[in-house]
Amino acid sequence: MIRYPILERQLRKQVEEVRPGWLERAAERTDSFRLRGRYEEDSSIWSEIKPAYMELQGYKCGFCERRLEKSRYGSIEHDVEHFRPKAKVKRWPGESDKDERGIDFEFALGDDADPGYFLLPYELENYVVSCKTCNSILKANYFPVGANRQVDGDRSRDLEDEDAYLIYPIGARDRDPEDLITFRGIVPIPVGVRGHKRKRAEVTIRFFELDTREVLLEERAETILELHIAMTAVGHPDPLTSRAASSAVDRLVERRSPHANCARSFHDLWLSDNLLAREFVEAALGYLESRS
Ligand SMILES: [Zn+2]
């Protein structure tokens, strides 16, 4: 995961540009949920502003950093994910996650809730666009927390006391994902050695299966090989090769590029401990060759 920096007022402006009048319609709907004390409506309008988030996130999934379709067909691949579930919240891990995925943490991860976060279906800081695997299969209506849920909150940024485990990547209201998760080669690991910071990384990695999904591991291995080749070719005697290499390095570590956290971690290691970086190149190569 990586952060997509934007101020709240800029986000509002971009949403308004994508769909003029949307913010007002959204506010009216939120008022009706407040009156009813739960989320309830016949049809939703959040898909209308999906393009604003797709652009902001560089057409990547906000959780696993896979590149998704960019053209006018892109909308079908991106889901607008409610970070805090709008209707019911189910406790995580569920029984099937424990049985089939072997997930079991020693600390509390929160209980079921009904209603869920009924004032947040139309809050801009509660959206992330994500791939269908992250959204539909893994995120579903889960939202693990370390403290009491505050389902009647109407601003995500005021809900810090819930001690949410998952990391929110847009704007600066949550911690920078790169301060919590880094990479050893193609494998994500927690930055922190103990405490809530470490638990957040552990839960997020396990929750989205960031360390085991083959497509992610393969794409990251490709990224590492490309980056290694490009970094090695910077300063090549042929000016065109050197310029192309330099441009490739810049693009690979740009936050809007796929697997940017992995690429940046590798880039920094390549400069600080080249021997270890080379071991990761070997490992990435071995991993890809074993798949082919
Ligand atoms: Zn994803």
Side-chain angles (χ1 to χ4, degrees):
M1 284 181 73
I2 201 156
R3 173 180 278 176
Y4 305 96
I6 189 164
L7 295 172
E8 193 186 6
R9 63 180 152 78
Q10 285 174 326
L11 187 56
R12 291 178 67 84
K13 190 164 165 261
Q14 288 182 14
V15 162
E16 198 56 21
E17 276 168 14
V18 164
R19 189 57 64 119
W22 187 91
L23 291 171
E24 208 178 313
R25 289 159 61 213
E28 284 166 12
R29 289 181 181 229
T30 303
D31 285 344
S32 81
F33 308 149
R34 189 175 275 114
L35 279 174
R36 293 176 198 198
R38 61 187 304 114
Y39 167 69
E40 209 174 81
E41 61 183 341
D42 293 333
S43 62
S44 60
I45 60 170
W46 50 76
S47 293
E48 295 175 18
I49 59 161
K50 196 190 288 184
Y53 288 82
M54 289 164 59
E55 210 281 325
L56 172 65
Q57 294 175 209
Y59 302 90
K60 287 194 289 178
C61 170
F63 300 118
C64 72
E65 288 202 81
R66 280 170 64 203
R67 169 82 83 217
L68 302 175
E69 180 62 64
K70 202 169 182 176
S71 71
R72 64 196 173 95
Y73 307 117
S75 203
I76 197 79
E77 272 199 8
H78 293 75
D79 280 349
V80 177
E81 152 66 12
H82 287 85
F83 189 64
R84 284 180 164 83
K86 59 193 175 298
K88 288 179 186 173
V89 187
K90 283 187 71 180
R91 77 181 288 146
W92 185 89
E95 289 309 314
S96 65
D97 299 307
K98 286 182 184 169
D99 296 346
E100 291 159 27
R101 293 168 62 193
I103 297 174
D104 195 14
F105 286 96
E106 286 173 357
F107 43 87
L109 290 145
D111 290 322
D112 289 345
D114 184 14
Y117 298 87
F118 64 99
L119 298 176
L120 299 179
Y122 289 106
E123 206 233 5
L124 297 187
E125 290 192 319
N126 195 38
Y127 293 143
V128 191
V129 287
S130 68
C131 72
K132 300 215 177 290
T133 305
C134 285
N135 180 32
S136 306
I137 302 174
L138 298 170
K139 177 67 171 58
N141 49 0
Y142 296 123
F143 192 72
V145 290
N148 286 335
R149 289 191 196 283
Q150 299 168 25
V151 291
D152 56 351
D154 60 3
R155 273 168 66 88
S156 297
R157 58 175 58 208
D158 297 335
L159 298 176
E160 269 188 23
D161 290 349
E162 284 193 321
D163 288 344
Y165 283 110
L166 303 182
I167 308 161
Y168 185 71
I170 294 175
R173 78 156 171 80
D174 199 354
R175 294 191 72 131
D176 188 330
E178 283 179 283
D179 289 343
L180 300 174
I181 297 176
T182 185
F183 282 80
R184 277 180 64 84
I186 60 175
V187 182
I189 55 164
V191 172
V193 286
R194 66 181 72 82
H196 190 60
K197 192 178 162 185
R198 183 183 175 90
K199 289 178 184 168
R200 292 193 75 187
E202 285 175 348
V203 169
T204 300
I205 290 168
R206 200 76 179 89
F207 188 94
F208 290 110
E209 298 189 11
L210 299 179
D211 55 345
T212 52
R213 284 160 63 192
E214 283 182 33
V215 68
L216 305 181
L217 297 172
E218 286 176 12
E219 287 182 8
R220 290 185 204 130
E222 295 282 7
T223 299
I224 282 177
L225 295 191
E226 283 173 38
L227 200 44
H228 171 64
I229 293 165
M231 290 179 83
T232 305
V234 172
H236 191 278
D238 170 37
L240 177 61
T241 301
S242 181
R243 192 153 56 87
S246 187
S247 166
V249 173
D250 289 349
R251 264 177 291 110
L252 286 163
V253 299
E254 212 267 314
R255 71 174 67 249
R256 290 162 59 89
S257 291
H259 310 293
N261 186 340
C262 171
R264 289 172 174 207
S265 302
F266 177 78
H267 176 269
D268 293 350
L269 183 74
W270 200 93
L271 297 174
S272 65
D273 186 347
N274 196 255
L275 276 180
L276 182 57
R278 290 180 71 90
E279 282 180 27
F280 290 147
V281 174
E282 289 267 14
L285 200 51
Y287 181 75
L288 288 173
E289 284 173 354
S290 75
R291 326 292 306 163
S292 57

